[in-house]
Amino acid sequence: MPKDNTAIVLIAYGSCLASGLAALRTFENRVRQRYPGIPVRWAYTSGPIRARLASHVRRKSDSVVKAIQRLALERFSPIIAQPLQIITATENESVEAVSRTVSDKLGIPLSMGQPLLSSDEDVSRTARAVMTHLPEDRLASEDVILVGHGARAHASQERYAQLASAVHELDSGVHIATLSGDMRTEKLLPCLSSEKVWLMPLLASIGKHTVSDIAGTGDSSVRSLLEKAGHSCTVVKSGVLENAAFADIWLSHLDEAAARFSLVPSI
């Protein structure tokens, strides 16, 4: 290690928040420790995030296509790509398709890792990770809702339902909901038994979805929905990537992708 001129690309939605960027950097450091000597680059799938980073903090960031093209110009090959999505839904399928298209065009071998919830074993591991991620001040009688992005009319949405079932077996007061799809928070209202509800993002890092769609004060936010139903909300603004147990699952998928090029982690 390194083999040939291998490079790793980590693919995330991106974030403009300091805490969100810090979580991404922490994960990057773990990857660098795991694969010393192999360059690690980022690709952000959100165009608005890339634009805001460029205009507000004068920080340039690459799209997936640009990151792979840049590595090709620097003569890196093969490339290992690890997305930080939760499920294999439309965004992840798009990321994989564009990654393979550009790598094929450039003639660069590419190995793609899987999102967080890609297998039954991933679901079990993630359920256990959720138990380590719960707020320290939460009482056993208080409900906790972890809110993911979700996916409309996509088979992989079922992974959220599987996770909800696995989590419920470990703690009946912990619930999984999504911003879109068939597990929206309003369907959980009859299941909530506590006046106080803890609200947490089931997202790799925090950004607009957490600040506005989950914790915001607008009428359509998850927080507003719960408060209108008579609950008080305490929001924990931290992405699951900040939790080592969650990060370990993504790292295991990175290891699987690296193994296709006969690379093994050093730790």
mmCIF file of all heavy atoms in Angstrom, residues 175-218:
data_model
loop_
_atom_site.group_PDB
_atom_site.id
_atom_site.type_symbol
_atom_site.label_atom_id
_atom_site.label_comp_id
_atom_site.label_asym_id
_atom_site.label_seq_id
_atom_site.Cartn_x
_atom_site.Cartn_y
_atom_site.Cartn_z
ATOM 1 N N HIS A 175 -37.768 5.998 17.340
ATOM 2 C CA HIS A 175 -38.531 5.877 16.098
ATOM 3 C C HIS A 175 -37.709 6.397 14.914
ATOM 4 O O HIS A 175 -36.849 7.265 15.064
ATOM 5 C CB HIS A 175 -39.831 6.676 16.192
ATOM 6 C CG HIS A 175 -40.585 6.456 17.462
ATOM 7 N ND1 HIS A 175 -41.488 5.425 17.637
ATOM 8 C CD2 HIS A 175 -40.552 7.128 18.654
ATOM 9 C CE1 HIS A 175 -41.992 5.470 18.857
ATOM 10 N NE2 HIS A 175 -41.454 6.501 19.493
ATOM 11 N N ILE A 176 -38.015 5.877 13.732
ATOM 12 C CA ILE A 176 -37.387 6.326 12.490
ATOM 13 C C ILE A 176 -38.461 6.962 11.614
ATOM 14 O O ILE A 176 -39.548 6.391 11.426
ATOM 15 C CB ILE A 176 -36.738 5.150 11.723
ATOM 16 C CG1 ILE A 176 -35.731 4.417 12.610
ATOM 17 C CG2 ILE A 176 -36.069 5.668 10.443
ATOM 18 C CD1 ILE A 176 -34.546 5.243 13.062
ATOM 19 N N ALA A 177 -38.174 8.143 11.078
ATOM 20 C CA ALA A 177 -39.086 8.821 10.163
ATOM 21 C C ALA A 177 -38.274 9.372 8.988
ATOM 22 O O ALA A 177 -37.035 9.398 9.036
ATOM 23 C CB ALA A 177 -39.824 9.952 10.879
ATOM 24 N N THR A 178 -38.969 9.808 7.949
ATOM 25 C CA THR A 178 -38.291 10.384 6.792
ATOM 26 C C THR A 178 -39.007 11.652 6.343
ATOM 27 O O THR A 178 -40.202 11.838 6.605
ATOM 28 C CB THR A 178 -38.231 9.391 5.613
ATOM 29 O OG1 THR A 178 -39.559 8.961 5.281
ATOM 30 C CG2 THR A 178 -37.396 8.181 5.973
ATOM 31 N N LEU A 179 -38.279 12.506 5.659
ATOM 32 C CA LEU A 179 -38.851 13.753 5.154
ATOM 33 C C LEU A 179 -39.738 13.512 3.934
ATOM 34 O O LEU A 179 -40.646 14.289 3.655
ATOM 35 C CB LEU A 179 -37.726 14.736 4.786
ATOM 36 C CG LEU A 179 -36.876 15.243 5.945
ATOM 37 C CD1 LEU A 179 -35.683 16.038 5.420
ATOM 38 C CD2 LEU A 179 -37.708 16.096 6.895
ATOM 39 N N SER A 180 -39.447 12.452 3.188
ATOM 40 C CA SER A 180 -40.257 12.108 2.026
ATOM 41 C C SER A 180 -40.490 10.606 2.015
ATOM 42 O O SER A 180 -39.874 9.862 2.781
ATOM 43 C CB SER A 180 -39.559 12.551 0.734
ATOM 44 O OG SER A 180 -38.328 11.858 0.566
ATOM 45 N N GLY A 181 -41.389 10.151 1.158
ATOM 46 C CA GLY A 181 -41.695 8.728 1.125
ATOM 47 C C GLY A 181 -42.857 8.391 2.051
ATOM 48 O O GLY A 181 -43.632 9.254 2.471
ATOM 49 N N ASP A 182 -42.970 7.110 2.390
ATOM 50 C CA ASP A 182 -44.133 6.646 3.148
ATOM 51 C C ASP A 182 -43.892 6.527 4.648
ATOM 52 O O ASP A 182 -44.659 5.884 5.356
ATOM 53 C CB ASP A 182 -44.604 5.293 2.594
ATOM 54 C CG ASP A 182 -43.503 4.252 2.573
ATOM 55 O OD1 ASP A 182 -42.405 4.534 3.101
ATOM 56 O OD2 ASP A 182 -43.733 3.158 2.023
ATOM 57 N N MET A 183 -42.817 7.154 5.166
ATOM 58 C CA MET A 183 -42.552 7.118 6.611
ATOM 59 C C MET A 183 -42.436 8.522 7.187
ATOM 60 O O MET A 183 -41.631 8.793 8.060
ATOM 61 C CB MET A 183 -41.278 6.309 6.897
ATOM 62 C CG MET A 183 -41.425 4.825 6.627
ATOM 63 S SD MET A 183 -39.951 3.889 7.051
ATOM 64 C CE MET A 183 -39.836 4.177 8.828
ATOM 65 N N ARG A 184 -43.281 9.405 6.661
ATOM 66 C CA ARG A 184 -43.247 10.782 7.142
ATOM 67 C C ARG A 184 -43.674 10.850 8.609
ATOM 68 O O ARG A 184 -44.416 9.999 9.104
ATOM 69 C CB ARG A 184 -44.142 11.666 6.274
ATOM 70 C CG ARG A 184 -43.614 11.812 4.846
ATOM 71 C CD ARG A 184 -44.577 12.608 3.994
ATOM 72 N NE ARG A 184 -44.705 13.966 4.485
ATOM 73 C CZ ARG A 184 -43.902 14.972 4.143
ATOM 74 N NH1 ARG A 184 -42.900 14.752 3.304
ATOM 75 N NH2 ARG A 184 -44.097 16.183 4.615
ATOM 76 N N THR A 185 -43.220 11.877 9.309
ATOM 77 C CA THR A 185 -43.368 11.969 10.755
ATOM 78 C C THR A 185 -44.817 11.945 11.222
ATOM 79 O O THR A 185 -45.123 11.417 12.298
ATOM 80 C CB THR A 185 -42.686 13.249 11.277
ATOM 81 O OG1 THR A 185 -41.384 13.363 10.711
ATOM 82 C CG2 THR A 185 -42.567 13.226 12.794
ATOM 83 N N GLU A 186 -45.739 12.504 10.431
ATOM 84 C CA GLU A 186 -47.127 12.555 10.881
ATOM 85 C C GLU A 186 -47.709 11.167 11.155
ATOM 86 O O GLU A 186 -48.608 11.017 11.983
ATOM 87 C CB GLU A 186 -48.009 13.301 9.866
ATOM 88 C CG GLU A 186 -47.857 12.848 8.438
ATOM 89 C CD GLU A 186 -46.902 13.730 7.654
ATOM 90 O OE1 GLU A 186 -45.890 14.159 8.240
ATOM 91 O OE2 GLU A 186 -47.182 13.986 6.472
ATOM 92 N N LYS A 187 -47.162 10.146 10.484
ATOM 93 C CA LYS A 187 -47.647 8.791 10.722
ATOM 94 C C LYS A 187 -47.202 8.252 12.077
ATOM 95 O O LYS A 187 -47.748 7.268 12.569
ATOM 96 C CB LYS A 187 -47.170 7.864 9.599
ATOM 97 C CG LYS A 187 -47.784 8.176 8.244
ATOM 98 C CD LYS A 187 -47.427 7.134 7.211
ATOM 99 C CE LYS A 187 -48.120 7.414 5.893
ATOM 100 N NZ LYS A 187 -47.826 6.365 4.875
ATOM 101 N N LEU A 188 -46.195 8.900 12.676
ATOM 102 C CA LEU A 188 -45.686 8.472 13.978
ATOM 103 C C LEU A 188 -46.488 9.043 15.150
ATOM 104 O O LEU A 188 -46.389 8.543 16.270
ATOM 105 C CB LEU A 188 -44.220 8.896 14.149
ATOM 106 C CG LEU A 188 -43.128 8.014 13.585
ATOM 107 C CD1 LEU A 188 -41.774 8.661 13.859
ATOM 108 C CD2 LEU A 188 -43.184 6.627 14.188
ATOM 109 N N LEU A 189 -47.233 10.102 14.908
ATOM 110 C CA LEU A 189 -47.888 10.825 16.005
ATOM 111 C C LEU A 189 -48.674 9.914 16.944
ATOM 112 O O LEU A 189 -48.575 10.068 18.171
ATOM 113 C CB LEU A 189 -48.785 11.938 15.438
ATOM 114 C CG LEU A 189 -48.049 13.093 14.745
ATOM 115 C CD1 LEU A 189 -49.045 14.095 14.180
ATOM 116 C CD2 LEU A 189 -47.089 13.783 15.709
ATOM 117 N N PRO A 190 -49.437 8.945 16.437
ATOM 118 C CA PRO A 190 -50.185 8.084 17.373
ATOM 119 C C PRO A 190 -49.282 7.185 18.218
ATOM 120 O O PRO A 190 -49.732 6.652 19.244
ATOM 121 C CB PRO A 190 -51.056 7.235 16.435
ATOM 122 C CG PRO A 190 -51.133 8.001 15.164
ATOM 123 C CD PRO A 190 -49.802 8.671 15.042
ATOM 124 N N CYS A 191 -48.020 7.021 17.800
ATOM 125 C CA CYS A 191 -47.106 6.124 18.518
ATOM 126 C C CYS A 191 -46.327 6.831 19.623
ATOM 127 O O CYS A 191 -45.643 6.165 20.415
ATOM 128 C CB CYS A 191 -46.115 5.494 17.538
ATOM 129 S SG CYS A 191 -46.874 4.611 16.165
ATOM 130 N N LEU A 192 -46.409 8.159 19.669
ATOM 131 C CA LEU A 192 -45.628 8.912 20.643
ATOM 132 C C LEU A 192 -46.359 8.982 21.977
ATOM 133 O O LEU A 192 -47.528 9.347 22.037
ATOM 134 C CB LEU A 192 -45.350 10.323 20.114
ATOM 135 C CG LEU A 192 -44.634 10.397 18.760
ATOM 136 C CD1 LEU A 192 -44.482 11.852 18.325
ATOM 137 C CD2 LEU A 192 -43.275 9.712 18.826
ATOM 138 N N SER A 193 -45.647 8.662 23.048
ATOM 139 C CA SER A 193 -46.286 8.617 24.375
ATOM 140 C C SER A 193 -45.796 9.703 25.320
ATOM 141 O O SER A 193 -46.411 9.932 26.362
ATOM 142 C CB SER A 193 -46.045 7.243 25.020
ATOM 143 O OG SER A 193 -44.657 6.992 25.163
ATOM 144 N N SER A 194 -44.704 10.380 24.973
ATOM 145 C CA SER A 194 -44.150 11.389 25.882
ATOM 146 C C SER A 194 -44.453 12.801 25.393
ATOM 147 O O SER A 194 -44.557 13.043 24.186
ATOM 148 C CB SER A 194 -42.632 11.207 26.025
ATOM 149 O OG SER A 194 -41.978 11.395 24.788
ATOM 150 N N GLU A 195 -44.581 13.721 26.351
ATOM 151 C CA GLU A 195 -44.796 15.123 25.969
ATOM 152 C C GLU A 195 -43.529 15.696 25.339
ATOM 153 O O GLU A 195 -43.588 16.389 24.336
ATOM 154 C CB GLU A 195 -45.199 15.923 27.218
ATOM 155 C CG GLU A 195 -45.601 17.371 26.942
ATOM 156 C CD GLU A 195 -44.409 18.317 26.897
ATOM 157 O OE1 GLU A 195 -43.413 18.045 27.591
ATOM 158 O OE2 GLU A 195 -44.481 19.324 26.166
ATOM 159 N N LYS A 196 -42.385 15.356 25.919
ATOM 160 C CA LYS A 196 -41.116 15.806 25.353
ATOM 161 C C LYS A 196 -40.617 14.800 24.330
ATOM 162 O O LYS A 196 -40.582 13.594 24.589
ATOM 163 C CB LYS A 196 -40.066 15.981 26.453
ATOM 164 C CG LYS A 196 -38.695 16.411 25.945
ATOM 165 C CD LYS A 196 -37.720 16.599 27.093
ATOM 166 C CE LYS A 196 -36.344 17.036 26.601
ATOM 167 N NZ LYS A 196 -35.395 17.243 27.721
ATOM 168 N N VAL A 197 -40.224 15.291 23.169
ATOM 169 C CA VAL A 197 -39.706 14.434 22.104
ATOM 170 C C VAL A 197 -38.340 14.947 21.675
ATOM 171 O O VAL A 197 -38.157 16.145 21.438
ATOM 172 C CB VAL A 197 -40.655 14.419 20.890
ATOM 173 C CG1 VAL A 197 -40.035 13.620 19.739
ATOM 174 C CG2 VAL A 197 -42.008 13.829 21.269
ATOM 175 N N TRP A 198 -37.379 14.028 21.609
ATOM 176 C CA TRP A 198 -36.048 14.364 21.106
ATOM 177 C C TRP A 198 -36.045 14.158 19.592
ATOM 178 O O TRP A 198 -36.540 13.148 19.093
ATOM 179 C CB TRP A 198 -34.994 13.467 21.742
ATOM 180 C CG TRP A 198 -34.828 13.665 23.211
ATOM 181 C CD1 TRP A 198 -35.573 13.110 24.200
ATOM 182 C CD2 TRP A 198 -33.842 14.479 23.855
ATOM 183 N NE1 TRP A 198 -35.125 13.528 25.436
ATOM 184 C CE2 TRP A 198 -34.051 14.369 25.256
ATOM 185 C CE3 TRP A 198 -32.796 15.282 23.398
ATOM 186 C CZ2 TRP A 198 -33.263 15.029 26.180
ATOM 187 C CZ3 TRP A 198 -32.006 15.950 24.323
ATOM 188 C CH2 TRP A 198 -32.236 15.823 25.698
ATOM 189 N N LEU A 199 -35.483 15.116 18.893
ATOM 190 C CA LEU A 199 -35.480 15.098 17.434
ATOM 191 C C LEU A 199 -34.039 15.108 16.937
ATOM 192 O O LEU A 199 -33.251 15.981 17.313
ATOM 193 C CB LEU A 199 -36.239 16.320 16.921
ATOM 194 C CG LEU A 199 -36.797 16.333 15.506
ATOM 195 C CD1 LEU A 199 -37.653 15.104 15.234
ATOM 196 C CD2 LEU A 199 -37.594 17.614 15.282
ATOM 197 N N MET A 200 -33.696 14.119 16.100
ATOM 198 C CA MET A 200 -32.314 13.990 15.626
ATOM 199 C C MET A 200 -32.307 13.702 14.127
ATOM 200 O O MET A 200 -33.166 12.972 13.626
ATOM 201 C CB MET A 200 -31.603 12.840 16.368
ATOM 202 C CG MET A 200 -31.669 12.901 17.872
ATOM 203 S SD MET A 200 -30.846 11.488 18.665
ATOM 204 C CE MET A 200 -29.115 11.920 18.365
ATOM 205 N N PRO A 201 -31.334 14.238 13.388
ATOM 206 C CA PRO A 201 -31.240 13.908 11.968
ATOM 207 C C PRO A 201 -30.608 12.532 11.749
ATOM 208 O O PRO A 201 -29.644 12.179 12.421
ATOM 209 C CB PRO A 201 -30.339 15.012 11.411
ATOM 210 C CG PRO A 201 -29.493 15.429 12.571
ATOM 211 C CD PRO A 201 -30.352 15.261 13.792
ATOM 212 N N LEU A 202 -31.173 11.764 10.838
ATOM 213 C CA LEU A 202 -30.559 10.519 10.382
ATOM 214 C C LEU A 202 -29.893 10.826 9.050
ATOM 215 O O LEU A 202 -30.268 10.341 7.988
ATOM 216 C CB LEU A 202 -31.603 9.414 10.252
ATOM 217 C CG LEU A 202 -31.102 8.013 9.847
ATOM 218 C CD1 LEU A 202 -30.034 7.511 10.801
ATOM 219 C CD2 LEU A 202 -32.261 7.040 9.772
ATOM 220 N N LEU A 203 -28.911 11.706 9.123
ATOM 221 C CA LEU A 203 -28.173 12.201 7.967
ATOM 222 C C LEU A 203 -26.687 12.170 8.316
ATOM 223 O O LEU A 203 -26.321 12.320 9.487
ATOM 224 C CB LEU A 203 -28.587 13.634 7.628
ATOM 225 C CG LEU A 203 -30.083 13.864 7.356
ATOM 226 C CD1 LEU A 203 -30.394 15.358 7.378
ATOM 227 C CD2 LEU A 203 -30.478 13.252 6.028
ATOM 228 N N ALA A 204 -25.835 12.001 7.313
ATOM 229 C CA ALA A 204 -24.403 11.902 7.583
ATOM 230 C C ALA A 204 -23.890 13.142 8.304
ATOM 231 O O ALA A 204 -23.194 13.041 9.315
ATOM 232 C CB ALA A 204 -23.634 11.678 6.282
ATOM 233 N N SER A 205 -24.222 14.318 7.786
ATOM 234 C CA SER A 205 -23.794 15.565 8.419
ATOM 235 C C SER A 205 -24.942 16.559 8.348
ATOM 236 O O SER A 205 -25.861 16.415 7.547
ATOM 237 C CB SER A 205 -22.551 16.140 7.736
ATOM 238 O OG SER A 205 -22.807 16.411 6.369
ATOM 239 N N ILE A 206 -24.900 17.566 9.189
ATOM 240 C CA ILE A 206 -26.012 18.510 9.238
ATOM 241 C C ILE A 206 -25.848 19.614 8.200
ATOM 242 O O ILE A 206 -24.741 20.015 7.858
ATOM 243 C CB ILE A 206 -26.184 19.119 10.645
ATOM 244 C CG1 ILE A 206 -24.969 19.937 11.046
ATOM 245 C CG2 ILE A 206 -26.473 18.032 11.658
ATOM 246 C CD1 ILE A 206 -25.190 20.720 12.322
ATOM 247 N N GLY A 207 -26.981 20.073 7.702
ATOM 248 C CA GLY A 207 -27.028 21.128 6.710
ATOM 249 C C GLY A 207 -28.445 21.671 6.654
ATOM 250 O O GLY A 207 -29.151 21.708 7.666
ATOM 251 N N LYS A 208 -28.886 22.035 5.458
ATOM 252 C CA LYS A 208 -30.199 22.656 5.288
ATOM 253 C C LYS A 208 -31.329 21.744 5.766
ATOM 254 O O LYS A 208 -32.295 22.215 6.388
ATOM 255 C CB LYS A 208 -30.415 23.037 3.827
ATOM 256 C CG LYS A 208 -31.791 23.635 3.545
ATOM 257 C CD LYS A 208 -31.965 23.949 2.079
ATOM 258 C CE LYS A 208 -33.362 24.510 1.808
ATOM 259 N NZ LYS A 208 -34.435 23.534 2.096
ATOM 260 N N HIS A 209 -31.248 20.455 5.459
ATOM 261 C CA HIS A 209 -32.329 19.557 5.868
ATOM 262 C C HIS A 209 -32.510 19.569 7.386
ATOM 263 O O HIS A 209 -33.639 19.563 7.881
ATOM 264 C CB HIS A 209 -32.038 18.133 5.391
ATOM 265 C CG HIS A 209 -32.243 17.944 3.916
ATOM 266 N ND1 HIS A 209 -33.359 18.396 3.258
ATOM 267 C CD2 HIS A 209 -31.466 17.352 2.967
ATOM 268 C CE1 HIS A 209 -33.272 18.088 1.968
ATOM 269 N NE2 HIS A 209 -32.140 17.464 1.779
ATOM 270 N N THR A 210 -31.385 19.592 8.117
ATOM 271 C CA THR A 210 -31.476 19.615 9.572
ATOM 272 C C THR A 210 -31.972 20.958 10.080
ATOM 273 O O THR A 210 -32.913 21.032 10.884
ATOM 274 C CB THR A 210 -30.108 19.310 10.207
ATOM 275 O OG1 THR A 210 -29.689 17.995 9.814
ATOM 276 C CG2 THR A 210 -30.189 19.368 11.729
ATOM 277 N N VAL A 211 -31.354 22.024 9.603
ATOM 278 C CA VAL A 211 -31.660 23.360 10.111
ATOM 279 C C VAL A 211 -33.073 23.805 9.751
ATOM 280 O O VAL A 211 -33.793 24.380 10.584
ATOM 281 C CB VAL A 211 -30.625 24.374 9.579
ATOM 282 C CG1 VAL A 211 -31.009 25.799 9.978
ATOM 283 C CG2 VAL A 211 -29.233 24.047 10.094
ATOM 284 N N SER A 212 -33.507 23.521 8.518
ATOM 285 C CA SER A 212 -34.811 24.012 8.057
ATOM 286 C C SER A 212 -35.905 22.958 8.095
ATOM 287 O O SER A 212 -36.956 23.154 8.706
ATOM 288 C CB SER A 212 -34.679 24.559 6.630
ATOM 289 O OG SER A 212 -33.765 25.634 6.575
ATOM 290 N N ASP A 213 -35.666 21.813 7.457
ATOM 291 C CA ASP A 213 -36.730 20.826 7.283
ATOM 292 C C ASP A 213 -37.034 20.039 8.551
ATOM 293 O O ASP A 213 -38.165 19.599 8.761
ATOM 294 C CB ASP A 213 -36.359 19.849 6.166
ATOM 295 C CG ASP A 213 -36.122 20.554 4.841
ATOM 296 O OD1 ASP A 213 -36.785 21.579 4.603
ATOM 297 O OD2 ASP A 213 -35.278 20.099 4.055
ATOM 298 N N ILE A 214 -36.016 19.830 9.390
ATOM 299 C CA ILE A 214 -36.224 19.070 10.620
ATOM 300 C C ILE A 214 -36.415 20.010 11.814
ATOM 301 O O ILE A 214 -37.426 19.937 12.518
ATOM 302 C CB ILE A 214 -35.047 18.109 10.876
ATOM 303 C CG1 ILE A 214 -34.960 17.068 9.752
ATOM 304 C CG2 ILE A 214 -35.198 17.408 12.232
ATOM 305 C CD1 ILE A 214 -33.756 16.142 9.843
ATOM 306 N N ALA A 215 -35.462 20.883 12.057
ATOM 307 C CA ALA A 215 -35.466 21.703 13.271
ATOM 308 C C ALA A 215 -36.000 23.113 13.068
ATOM 309 O O ALA A 215 -36.092 23.883 14.026
ATOM 310 C CB ALA A 215 -34.042 21.788 13.824
ATOM 311 N N GLY A 216 -36.377 23.470 11.853
ATOM 312 C CA GLY A 216 -36.802 24.834 11.571
ATOM 313 C C GLY A 216 -38.134 25.205 12.217
ATOM 314 O O GLY A 216 -38.869 24.362 12.735
ATOM 315 N N THR A 217 -38.451 26.493 12.149
ATOM 316 C CA THR A 217 -39.692 26.996 12.741
ATOM 317 C C THR A 217 -40.792 27.179 11.699
ATOM 318 O O THR A 217 -41.898 27.602 12.029
ATOM 319 C CB THR A 217 -39.437 28.329 13.452
ATOM 320 O OG1 THR A 217 -38.870 29.267 12.507
ATOM 321 C CG2 THR A 217 -38.484 28.145 14.617
ATOM 322 N N GLY A 218 -40.500 26.883 10.447
ATOM 323 C CA GLY A 218 -41.508 26.994 9.406
ATOM 324 C C GLY A 218 -42.625 25.977 9.592
ATOM 325 O O GLY A 218 -42.456 24.945 10.249
#
